[in-house]
Amino acid sequence: MAEVSSNSLIPEGFQGTRADIAGQIGLIWELIKAPLIVPLLTLAVYICLAMSLMLFFERLYMGVVIILVKLFWKKPDKRYNWEPIREDLEIGNSAFPVVLVQIPMYNEKEVYKISIGAACGLSWPADRLVIQVLDDSTDPAIKDLVERECIRWASKGLNIRYQIRENRVGYKAGALKEGLKHDYVKHCEYVAIFDADFRPEPDFLRRAIPFLAYNPEIALVQSRWRFVNADECLMTRMQEMSLDYHFTVEQEVGSSTHAFFGFNGTGGVWRLAAISDAGGWKDRTTVEDMDLAVRAGLKGWKFVYLGDLQVKSELPSTLKAFRFQQHRWSCGPANLFRKMVMEIVRNKKVSFWKKVYVIYSFFFVRKVIAHMVTFSFYCVVLPLTILVPEVDVPKWGAIYIPAIITTLNSVGTPRSIHLLFYWILFENVMSLHRTKATFIGLLEGGRANEWVVTEKLGDALKNKGNSKAPKKFRFKMGDRILLLELGFAAFLFFCGCYDFLYGKNNYFIYLFLQTITFMLVGFGYIGTIVP
């Protein structure tokens, strides 16, 4: 066979510029841009604008509802039957229902005393309270410390049980499910769940239990989280802003309009009969709390959110812990949506509008669209339009709608309104991680059921900071260097430079700032650095 000439592989018009590689690339780009790149990018812009509008109207709807709730809705204790449970001279403490408190743990060396102490300090008759420490720790030394703490409180007259398992099957869901199988909890009516870093106030049960005791249709009472380490670093401030919006708006709207919202996994009290009716705890996703809530909601049970019932907790302050948490929180709901959407559609016990709310608002917009549009629009499509000026993004889609959405998001944390711009940049970076996790959940990829317990530091940093001879700081390169984030930093920097030289919209200001944020995260210079 005759040798194929390199000239035959290059169109005739390219022959004169074969030595100029940059010129050849430019010609190829011009050749494919009009018939291929422009239509695809235009379609991507339309899809992103559609998703932005969906998110905008969702935020606007919740904003309107929360204003109506604050102005005209009755508070939960007025909407439902509620009165304090008091001791009866004739029957004694029998007026108080028996409550189980579950504290799931996994190697919680820094915070185990805090959660156990807070649970043992609850203002509830000791003979009507069962505290269950579900310890899945793999470190024998930590297990010994937790058991000793339980023994210490038991010696003071508390009914506290230390429970371990042979394995961690089902992770947290498995531990909670196993805990309910013991004979000594069969006479309990309600179960309060607190993660190892949660610190309920002594009156927590006295404020929450009456909703369940006097309203048989209520399955769950959820409290609001407050964060003891919100001021630890800029990353914890960003988390506080996102979570405060979730509790102040999303949970309040769901509770007020549909008596439904996603259980947050901790800081709540369940009716045990409702857990049983919904099918119990399941470990098919990494959001066992949301799974149970959706199944209970489909059975017709109602939920109540109490914004003024607050529980102190701890935010993950290291980037590694935060990324693991966000993977679970993004992947799990998407995976649950995949598994339950048809079950929700076919359900006959709830109204049509509640189905629409759960499928469209609760799952699709908040758990899927919100992550994808943030990343795809502001980190991919918008920068690409700079390189392809034939594709135009309307100002209302690129600037005005995002500005309104961001402003609405600030209502949960007024004290941090001056950090809104930094919050946008940081959320855009994290949207890359969340989008990847969302796709893994929707497609049920390899990490769909990955469970990594969020690391809690407690007072560890404070104590180490007071030590006289701190150890030399070392880190694993893989824990600090995030190549995907650094790759996007390079991409956005290139787009910013191109816009500065040839652009017309002055997007380079945003792109350079976003580049810096991607680089800070990519090199691990954000959050608390643990010695």
Side-chain angles (χ1 to χ4, degrees), residues 12 14 64 114 116 130 144 146 171 175 284-285 289 295 317 370 372-373 375 414 444 455 474 495 516:
E12 207 172 294
F14 285 25
V64 171
I114 296 173
I116 294 175
V130 181
D144 184 61
V146 176
Y171 302 106
R284 56 181 173 172
T285 70
D289 43 15
R295 285 185 281 114
S317 57
M372 291 185 177
V373 69
F375 168 66
E444 206 152 17
E455 180 186 26
R474 295 179 180 179
C495 293
I516 294 171

Side-chain angles (χ1 to χ4, degrees), residues 395-470:
K395 287 290 189 293
W396 60 264
I399 299 174
Y400 303 140
I401 283 184
I404 296 173
I405 291 175
T406 303
T407 303
L408 291 173
N409 219 97
S410 67
V411 300
T413 318
R415 79 183 187 102
S416 297
I417 195 168
H418 62 290
L419 298 175
L420 267 180
F421 190 73
Y422 300 101
W423 178 81
I424 295 170
L425 298 173
F426 180 66
E427 285 292 295
N428 286 349
V429 175
M430 289 308 302
S431 68
L432 166 61
H433 187 63
R434 293 176 184 135
T435 299
K436 184 173 65 173
T438 300
F439 274 114
I440 290 173
L442 288 174
L443 302 176
E444 206 152 17
R447 293 180 62 198
N449 293 312
E450 179 186 68
W451 181 284
V452 179
V453 175
T454 304
E455 180 186 26
K456 294 102 179 176
L457 300 180
D459 294 327
L461 284 180
K462 188 187 301 181
N463 296 335
K464 289 176 182 176
N466 293 333
S467 61
K468 294 181 180 179

